Amino acid sequence: MTKKVVGVLTIGQSPRTDVTPTIQIVMGSDVTIIESGGLDSLTDETIHSVQPDDTDTIYISRMRNGQSVKIGKSKLLPLLQKELTELESKTDITLMLCTGDFPTLHTTQPIIYPDKVLNHMVSAMLPTGSLGLIIPLEEQREKLLAKWNQQELKLFAEVASPYEKSDIAGAARALQEQGVDLIVLDCMGYNEKHKLDAVENSGLPVILPRTLIARVLSEYLSG
Protein backbone atom coordinates (compact mmCIF):
# COMPACT_ATOMS: atom_id res chain seq x y z
CA MET A 1 0.00 0.00 0.00
CA THR A 2 1.30 3.44 -0.95
CA LYS A 3 2.21 5.51 2.06
CA LYS A 4 -0.16 8.45 2.48
CA VAL A 5 1.20 11.98 2.90
CA VAL A 6 -0.78 14.41 5.04
CA GLY A 7 -0.16 18.13 5.09
CA VAL A 8 -0.64 19.90 8.41
CA LEU A 9 -1.13 23.63 7.95
CA THR A 10 -0.92 25.81 11.05
CA ILE A 11 -1.80 29.49 11.10
CA GLY A 12 1.34 30.09 13.15
CA GLN A 13 4.79 28.66 12.46
CA SER A 14 5.78 25.08 11.81
CA PRO A 15 6.74 22.61 13.06
CA ARG A 16 3.98 22.35 15.66
CA THR A 17 5.85 20.06 18.02
CA ASP A 18 3.08 20.56 20.58
CA VAL A 19 0.38 19.10 18.29
CA THR A 20 1.66 16.93 15.44
CA PRO A 21 3.06 14.12 17.65
CA THR A 22 -0.51 13.47 18.86
CA ILE A 23 -1.81 13.43 15.29
CA GLN A 24 0.97 11.07 14.20
CA ILE A 25 0.19 8.63 17.03
CA VAL A 26 -3.50 8.54 16.10
CA MET A 27 -2.85 8.06 12.37
CA GLY A 28 0.03 5.60 12.79
CA SER A 29 3.44 5.16 11.22
CA ASP A 30 2.03 4.41 7.75
CA VAL A 31 1.22 8.11 7.33
CA THR A 32 3.85 10.76 6.61
CA ILE A 33 3.19 14.28 7.90
CA ILE A 34 4.56 17.38 6.18
CA GLU A 35 4.06 20.63 8.08
CA SER A 36 3.75 24.22 6.95
CA GLY A 37 2.75 27.45 8.64
CA GLY A 38 1.16 30.68 7.55
CA LEU A 39 3.84 32.63 9.41
CA ASP A 40 6.81 30.50 8.32
CA SER A 41 8.12 33.29 6.09
CA LEU A 42 8.12 35.83 8.94
CA THR A 43 10.88 36.56 11.43
CA ASP A 44 10.90 38.08 14.90
CA GLU A 45 11.51 41.43 13.17
CA THR A 46 8.59 41.11 10.71
CA ILE A 47 5.99 39.32 12.85
CA HIS A 48 4.41 42.70 13.71
CA SER A 49 3.02 42.78 10.15
CA VAL A 50 0.23 40.34 11.10
CA GLN A 51 -0.86 42.04 14.30
CA PRO A 52 -4.66 42.45 14.25
CA ASP A 53 -6.27 45.85 14.07
CA ASP A 54 -9.50 46.83 15.81
CA THR A 55 -11.78 45.53 13.05
CA ASP A 56 -10.03 42.26 12.24
CA THR A 57 -10.89 38.73 13.29
CA ILE A 58 -8.31 37.71 15.88
CA TYR A 59 -6.58 34.33 15.98
CA ILE A 60 -3.88 33.06 18.28
CA SER A 61 -1.25 30.48 17.45
CA ARG A 62 2.20 29.26 18.34
CA MET A 63 5.53 30.40 16.99
CA ARG A 64 8.47 28.10 16.37
CA ASN A 65 10.14 29.41 19.55
CA GLY A 66 7.17 28.32 21.66
CA GLN A 67 5.72 31.77 22.20
CA SER A 68 2.15 32.63 21.23
CA VAL A 69 1.18 35.36 18.80
CA LYS A 70 -2.08 37.17 18.00
CA ILE A 71 -2.85 37.24 14.28
CA GLY A 72 -5.21 39.37 12.20
CA LYS A 73 -7.16 37.18 9.77
CA SER A 74 -7.03 39.62 6.85
CA LYS A 75 -3.24 39.78 7.07
CA LEU A 76 -2.91 36.03 7.52
CA LEU A 77 -4.95 34.86 4.52
CA PRO A 78 -2.47 35.72 1.70
CA LEU A 79 0.38 34.10 3.63
CA LEU A 80 -1.73 31.05 4.40
CA GLN A 81 -2.77 30.66 0.76
CA LYS A 82 0.85 30.69 -0.41
CA GLU A 83 1.83 28.01 2.10
CA LEU A 84 -1.24 25.90 1.30
CA THR A 85 -0.55 25.95 -2.44
CA GLU A 86 3.02 24.78 -1.89
CA LEU A 87 1.94 22.16 0.64
CA GLU A 88 -0.66 20.65 -1.68
CA SER A 89 2.00 19.94 -4.30
CA LYS A 90 3.57 17.45 -1.88
CA THR A 91 0.59 15.90 -0.06
CA ASP A 92 -2.59 13.86 -0.57
CA ILE A 93 -4.79 15.75 1.88
CA THR A 94 -4.37 18.75 4.18
CA LEU A 95 -5.47 19.27 7.76
CA MET A 96 -6.05 22.89 8.75
CA LEU A 97 -4.67 23.21 12.26
CA CYS A 98 -7.19 25.80 13.39
CA THR A 99 -10.86 25.74 14.40
CA GLY A 100 -11.52 29.05 12.63
CA ASP A 101 -13.27 29.34 9.26
CA PHE A 102 -11.38 29.96 6.02
CA PRO A 103 -13.96 29.89 3.20
CA THR A 104 -11.86 32.00 0.81
CA LEU A 105 -8.87 29.66 0.63
CA HIS A 106 -8.42 28.02 -2.77
CA THR A 107 -7.63 24.30 -2.66
CA THR A 108 -6.87 21.71 -5.31
CA GLN A 109 -7.00 18.67 -3.03
CA PRO A 110 -9.13 17.54 -0.07
CA ILE A 111 -8.77 19.67 3.03
CA ILE A 112 -10.24 19.06 6.48
CA TYR A 113 -11.49 22.11 8.35
CA PRO A 114 -11.92 21.25 12.07
CA ASP A 115 -14.67 23.83 12.58
CA LYS A 116 -16.93 22.03 10.08
CA VAL A 117 -16.33 18.63 11.71
CA LEU A 118 -16.91 20.06 15.19
CA ASN A 119 -20.13 21.82 14.24
CA HIS A 120 -21.62 18.74 12.62
CA MET A 121 -20.56 16.47 15.48
CA VAL A 122 -22.02 18.74 18.14
CA SER A 123 -25.25 19.02 16.12
CA ALA A 124 -25.51 15.23 16.11
CA MET A 125 -24.65 14.79 19.79
CA LEU A 126 -26.48 17.80 21.20
CA PRO A 127 -29.35 18.95 18.95
CA THR A 128 -30.79 20.96 21.85
CA GLY A 129 -29.43 21.97 25.23
CA SER A 130 -26.48 24.03 26.44
CA LEU A 131 -23.01 24.06 24.90
CA GLY A 132 -19.98 25.27 26.81
CA LEU A 133 -16.93 26.62 24.99
CA ILE A 134 -13.47 27.13 26.40
CA ILE A 135 -11.77 29.69 24.17
CA PRO A 136 -8.24 31.15 24.06
CA LEU A 137 -8.91 34.92 24.12
CA GLU A 138 -11.56 37.28 25.48
CA GLU A 139 -11.30 39.23 22.21
CA GLN A 140 -12.58 36.14 20.38
CA ARG A 141 -15.74 35.68 22.46
CA GLU A 142 -18.22 37.55 20.26
CA LYS A 143 -17.18 35.99 16.96
CA LEU A 144 -16.81 32.48 18.34
CA LEU A 145 -20.25 32.61 19.92
CA ALA A 146 -21.61 33.83 16.57
CA LYS A 147 -19.88 30.91 14.82
CA TRP A 148 -21.70 28.40 17.03
CA ASN A 149 -25.00 30.28 17.06
CA GLN A 150 -26.22 28.48 13.93
CA GLN A 151 -27.29 25.60 16.15
CA GLU A 152 -30.34 25.36 18.42
CA LEU A 153 -28.26 25.65 21.56
CA LYS A 154 -27.78 27.91 24.52
CA LEU A 155 -24.16 29.01 24.42
CA PHE A 156 -21.74 29.76 27.26
CA ALA A 157 -18.04 30.59 26.99
CA GLU A 158 -15.12 30.82 29.40
CA VAL A 159 -11.59 31.99 28.55
CA ALA A 160 -8.45 29.95 29.24
CA SER A 161 -5.59 30.02 26.74
CA PRO A 162 -3.88 26.78 25.69
CA TYR A 163 -0.65 28.70 25.07
CA GLU A 164 -0.19 30.45 28.41
CA LYS A 165 -0.57 29.37 32.02
CA SER A 166 -4.33 29.50 32.50
CA ASP A 167 -7.12 27.99 34.57
CA ILE A 168 -8.67 25.33 32.34
CA ALA A 169 -10.05 23.57 35.40
CA GLY A 170 -11.72 26.74 36.65
CA ALA A 171 -13.20 27.46 33.23
CA ALA A 172 -14.67 23.94 33.09
CA ARG A 173 -16.14 24.28 36.60
CA ALA A 174 -17.69 27.61 35.68
CA LEU A 175 -19.35 26.07 32.63
CA GLN A 176 -20.64 23.15 34.68
CA GLU A 177 -22.13 25.59 37.19
CA GLN A 178 -23.89 27.38 34.31
CA GLY A 179 -25.60 24.10 33.44
CA VAL A 180 -23.96 23.14 30.15
CA ASP A 181 -24.36 19.61 28.78
CA LEU A 182 -21.17 19.39 26.73
CA ILE A 183 -17.85 21.27 26.58
CA VAL A 184 -15.78 21.98 23.46
CA LEU A 185 -12.17 23.11 23.79
CA ASP A 186 -12.42 25.46 20.81
CA CYS A 187 -8.82 25.60 19.58
CA MET A 188 -6.38 23.06 18.13
CA GLY A 189 -3.85 24.20 20.74
CA TYR A 190 -5.62 22.46 23.62
CA ASN A 191 -4.02 19.14 24.53
CA GLU A 192 -4.86 15.91 26.34
CA LYS A 193 -3.90 17.36 29.73
CA HIS A 194 -6.28 20.28 29.16
CA LYS A 195 -9.08 17.84 28.34
CA LEU A 196 -8.35 15.76 31.45
CA ASP A 197 -8.46 18.87 33.63
CA ALA A 198 -11.78 19.89 32.07
CA VAL A 199 -13.34 16.45 32.49
CA GLU A 200 -12.18 15.99 36.07
CA ASN A 201 -13.41 19.42 37.13
CA SER A 202 -16.74 19.43 35.34
CA GLY A 203 -17.82 15.78 35.23
CA LEU A 204 -19.02 16.48 31.67
CA PRO A 205 -18.12 15.10 28.24
CA VAL A 206 -15.39 17.24 26.67
CA ILE A 207 -14.43 17.34 23.00
CA LEU A 208 -10.75 17.83 22.19
CA PRO A 209 -10.46 18.91 18.54
CA ARG A 210 -6.95 17.65 17.82
CA THR A 211 -7.69 14.01 18.65
CA LEU A 212 -11.17 14.10 17.11
CA ILE A 213 -9.87 15.46 13.80
CA ALA A 214 -6.92 13.06 13.75
CA ARG A 215 -9.33 10.14 14.10
CA VAL A 216 -11.54 11.47 11.30
CA LEU A 217 -8.47 11.85 9.10
CA SER A 218 -7.28 8.35 9.97
CA GLU A 219 -10.68 6.94 8.96
CA TYR A 220 -10.50 8.80 5.65
CA LEU A 221 -7.02 7.49 4.89
CA SER A 222 -7.85 3.89 5.78
CA GLY A 223 -10.31 3.58 2.89
Side-chain angles (χ1 to χ4, degrees):
M1 184 175 67
T2 304
K3 195 166 188 176
K4 298 292 186 179
V5 182
V6 173
V8 172
L9 181 63
T10 178
I11 63 172
Q13 287 183 331
S14 66
R16 284 297 299 269
T17 56
D18 60 320
V19 180
T20 48
T22 296
I23 296 171
Q24 186 75 73
I25 289 170
V26 172
M27 293 194 300
S29 59
D30 290 336
V31 173
T32 297
I33 291 176
I34 298 178
E35 297 185 63
S36 187
L39 307 187
D40 280 358
S41 62
L42 302 185
T43 65
D44 290 345
E45 290 71 34
T46 59
I47 194 65
H48 63 86
S49 64
V50 296
Q51 288 294 310
D53 57 37
D54 293 340
T55 61
D56 214 345
T57 297
I58 301 173
Y59 292 134
I60 185 170
S61 190
R62 187 178 185 269
M63 298 289 284
R64 197 172 292 118
N65 61 13
Q67 295 181 343
S68 63
V69 59
K70 293 181 182 179
I71 308 165
K73 184 175 183 178
S74 65
K75 298 166 185 176
L76 169 68
L77 285 173
L79 299 171
L80 204 58
Q81 181 65 70
K82 177 178 179 294
E83 296 293 336
L84 174 59
T85 300
E86 294 180 5
L87 190 61
E88 286 189 318
S89 68
K90 300 174 281 188
T91 58
D92 300 305
I93 186 171
T94 299
L95 166 60
M96 175 63 70
L97 206 66
C98 180
T99 57
D101 64 317
F102 300 93
T104 63
L105 288 179
H106 174 70
T107 64
T108 59
Q109 292 183 345
I111 183 168
I112 293 182
Y113 290 109
D115 71 305
K116 295 183 182 298
V117 177
L118 284 167
N119 271 272
H120 285 295
M121 182 172 180
V122 169
S123 291
M125 296 174 63
L126 192 68
T128 60
S130 298
L131 176 66
L133 305 173
I134 297 181
I135 63 176
L137 297 170
E138 180 60 40
E139 302 98 298
Q140 295 176 310
R141 181 187 295 271
E142 183 177 340
K143 289 193 174 181
L144 288 182
L145 287 174
K147 180 185 77 170
W148 285 96
N149 198 35
Q150 58 189 290
Q151 305 186 60
E152 297 298 319
L153 299 172
K154 293 180 180 178
L155 300 173
F156 300 88
E158 295 291 331
V159 177
S161 174
Y163 299 117
E164 315 291 343
K165 185 175 180 180
S166 58
D167 189 8
I168 302 288
R173 281 195 300 272
L175 290 171
Q176 187 273 332
E177 290 167 0
Q178 292 171 81
V180 306
D181 303 297
L182 173 70
I183 294 174
V184 173
L185 299 172
D186 198 5
C187 177
M188 295 296 281
Y190 293 110
N191 60 34
E192 292 88 337
K193 176 62 165 56
H194 295 139
K195 175 175 179 174
L196 182 62
D197 286 347
V199 170
E200 289 183 343
N201 286 275
S202 69
L204 295 168
V206 176
I207 296 177
L208 178 65
R210 67 168 64 176
T211 48
L212 169 64
I213 304 306
R215 291 185 179 108
V216 170
L217 189 51
S218 178
E219 180 68 18
Y220 175 88
L221 295 173
S222 67

